[in-house]
Amino acid sequence: MKNFLVHNDETIKQMCETVGIRNVEDLFKQIPESIRMKSLDLPEGLSELETQRKVKKLAKENKSEYVNFMGGGIYNKFVPACISQVASRFEFNTAYTPYQPEISQGTLQVMYEFQTMICRLTGMDISNATVYDGGTACAEAILMACRIAKKYKVCVLNSLNPEYKKVIETYTYSQNIEVDWVDEVPAQASDYACVLVQTPDYYGEIIEPKKSDDCLLVVCVDVSTLSILKPPSEYGADIVVGDIQTLGIPMNFGGPSAGFVACKEKFMRQLPGRLAGRTVDKDGKQAFCLTIQTREQHIKREKATSNICSNQALVGLCATLYLSVMGEEGFYQAGALSASNAHKLADKLTQKGYKVLNKNFFNEFVVNVGNSADFLSKLDKNGILGGIKLDENRILVAATEMITDEDIEAYISAV
């Protein structure tokens, strides 16, 4: 395979003659010589054995044995070993649903089960089969609310995940939607299509937003917190969005991830993305299909709810497997353990003289440590990722079920 070329000289000559040039170099003559790269400074190729040795040597430079107290949207959660085994079966070897989806009954059934689980967790009537991530879900929910309310101004709390904010800004800019970023939900909200609130918010604070009769309420959640906290439907949410990374998805360099959008039944025709349904075939047997197809690939473009044309089916599969394996009791236990560990750490930090700034939190909180850089550096030297630096004095700390009492004691001893 060395020096493999996709075209031979004769083929290249014919192609050049067809487009009216002398050689391939003529394709680039409009690019000034001064900015063209003459060659790539690459080493000679290695054999497979040599490559394996080199990669293993490089891999040893990674520091992978840290105890992790970082969160901010991506969390170190327990992932049962069976998830990767089942998800990597040949039946699921692609995350992409074919354009003739009804031939993929297994994939469609998983999507259907995922939607059902999300509805049970959030209390909503209907859910889609995932979107790209939590930020995309927030942005799509805003577009959805604007279509429903026929208003193009929305209110978003500043305590939303900053990465989600950037996605919202990109989406709304191109749609000429005005976004008011506020610290508190205004008493008068009739000018808005929706109010978007994250709970627990980026800083870990649990918020119970009050539903206004004047506009739609969009709630962004970390679904793992719904193992303990009450579902958003109980405080009047019209649309619920979130990220599913905490449902059996490893961190893997900050991903992969997936989002979801769930809503009340009366809004289902404005729901973006794929939606799997259950029906019967001509023989009366159970069958699954894509339904309420508002995707731009299936209907007139101007009537489409979104240009999202796929879904994170493989990540959704892992989340579905996780919830199935954990069950209601295991899911609750994981949430309770996460919350318990976070509150233990917060109490010990308080006893040591640091100020925890949250009133109500699940498994993540903000603490004033005096000097963030020094504080995190001490922990780093002891093999601990102590949290996310928010500013010169504050850090964001998270604890999950992966944290032990020994880890908490090591954290406290290091600072």
Side-chain angles (χ1 to χ4, degrees):
M1 296 295 289
K2 189 175 182 181
N3 298 325
F4 172 76
L5 297 176
V6 68
H7 302 302
N8 58 32
D9 292 340
E10 183 61 30
T11 303
I12 293 172
K13 182 180 178 182
Q14 291 176 4
M15 293 169 66
C16 290
E17 289 175 352
T18 300
V19 297
I21 59 176
R22 294 172 301 169
N23 51 46
V24 175
E25 183 65 23
D26 283 351
L27 290 172
F28 307 100
K29 64 183 180 182
Q30 292 180 322
I31 302 175
E33 288 285 342
S34 60
I35 63 171
R36 290 171 64 172
M37 186 181 293
K38 301 299 181 182
S39 63
L40 295 175
D41 184 19
L42 296 175
E44 288 294 319
L46 301 176
S47 68
E48 182 177 353
L49 178 60
E50 290 171 325
T51 303
Q52 287 180 355
R53 288 172 177 165
K54 186 174 182 66
V55 170
K56 287 178 180 178
K57 185 177 179 181
L58 289 172
K60 289 179 180 179
E61 296 181 19
N62 288 328
K63 297 180 180 179
S64 58
E65 300 302 318
Y66 278 90
V67 178
N68 192 348
F69 286 88
M70 298 181 75
I74 299 292
Y75 301 89
N76 182 28
K77 301 284 288 182
F78 172 68
V79 182
C82 62
I83 291 178
S84 61
Q85 292 297 313
V86 176
S88 60
R89 285 179 60 90
F90 74 91
E91 294 96 331
F92 304 114
N93 62 5
T94 175
Y96 200 84
T97 308
Y99 282 94
Q100 294 77 33
E102 281 65 41
I103 68 171
S104 304
Q105 285 296 295
T107 300
L108 286 169
Q109 182 173 357
V110 168
M111 290 164 60
Y112 180 84
E113 300 293 353
F114 169 82
Q115 293 166 186
T116 303
M117 290 174 173
I118 292 297
C119 288
R120 288 188 62 185
L121 288 170
T122 61
M124 292 289 101
D125 299 322
I126 191 166
S127 171
N128 66 8
T130 72
V131 291
Y132 298 133
D133 55 23
T136 305
C138 288
E140 289 285 0
I142 285 175
L143 300 189
M144 181 178 171
C146 289
R147 290 193 301 271
I148 294 168
K150 294 181 172 56
K151 299 176 184 177
Y152 297 92
K153 184 178 180 181
V154 299
C155 177
V156 183
L157 262 65
N158 276 319
S159 54
L160 182 68
N161 186 308
E163 293 187 359
Y164 297 1
K165 288 182 181 180
K166 292 178 182 178
V167 179
I168 289 172
E169 288 170 349
T170 301
Y171 269 66
T172 54
Y173 172 80
S174 62
Q175 297 287 329
N176 295 316
I177 296 172
E178 182 180 347
V179 181
D180 280 353
W181 301 97
V182 300
D183 292 328
E184 295 182 359
V185 177
Q188 176 64 25
S190 58
D191 292 340
Y192 300 118
C194 70
V195 172
L196 192 157
V197 179
Q198 182 178 10
T199 180
D201 64 18
Y202 179 71
Y203 305 102
E205 191 70 21
I206 297 171
I207 301 171
E208 187 171 318
K210 294 181 180 179
K211 170 72 169 110
S212 170
D213 294 331
D214 300 325
C215 70
L216 297 175
L217 174 61
V218 180
V219 179
C220 177
V221 297
D222 169 3
V223 284
S224 68
T225 67
L226 300 180
S227 57
I228 293 178
L229 304 181
K230 63 184 179 182
S233 60
E234 292 192 14
Y235 43 83
D238 296 293
I239 304 171
V240 181
V241 299
D243 200 293
I244 62 171
Q245 184 273 327
T246 52
L247 302 183
I249 314 300
M251 294 183 291
N252 287 9
F253 301 99
S257 190
F260 70 89
V261 183
C263 65
K264 294 179 177 178
E265 185 176 359
K266 62 182 177 181
F267 302 136
M268 69 179 176
R269 289 194 176 275
Q270 294 297 331
L271 195 64
R274 281 193 167 119
L275 184 64
R278 184 174 63 181
T279 183
V280 293
D281 63 16
K282 65 179 182 179
D283 299 320
K285 296 179 180 179
Q286 175 178 271
F288 296 89
C289 62
L290 289 185
T291 187
I292 315 295
Q293 300 196 32
T294 57
R295 303 182 330 123
E296 51 86 15
Q297 291 171 320
H298 293 129
I299 63 174
K300 291 181 180 178
R301 185 175 298 173
E302 64 272 15
K303 292 184 179 180
T305 57
S306 170
N307 69 352
I308 186 169
C309 59
S310 186
N311 67 294
Q312 294 275 47
L314 189 59
V315 182
L317 165 64
C318 292
T320 307
L321 293 170
Y322 173 85
L323 290 170
S324 300
V325 170
M326 297 292 281
E328 290 187 18
E329 185 176 345
F331 187 51
Y332 172 80
Q333 288 176 347
L337 191 54
S338 294
S340 174
N341 287 335
H343 283 265
K344 281 181 187 177
L345 178 59
D347 289 344
K348 288 182 178 292
L349 285 168
T350 300
Q351 293 168 13
K352 201 159 184 179
Y354 298 105
K355 187 175 182 180
V356 174
L357 303 180
N358 295 69
K359 295 179 180 178
N360 300 293
F361 63 93
F362 179 73
N363 72 323
E364 197 163 17
F365 58 91
V366 177
V367 57
N368 190 318
V369 296
N371 187 313
S372 301
D374 286 350
F375 186 90
L376 294 175
S377 177
K378 291 176 184 177
L379 291 165
D380 181 76
K381 291 175 182 177
N382 285 273
I384 299 171
L385 298 174
I388 298 172
K389 180 180 177 181
L390 297 176
D391 55 34
E392 296 305 314
N393 304 113
R394 299 178 305 147
I395 64 170
L396 179 64
V397 183
T400 69
E401 67 273 21
M402 300 294 283
I403 297 300
T404 66
D405 288 342
E406 290 76 14
D407 295 333
I408 294 172
E409 290 301 327
Y411 192 109
I412 296 301
S413 297
V415 297

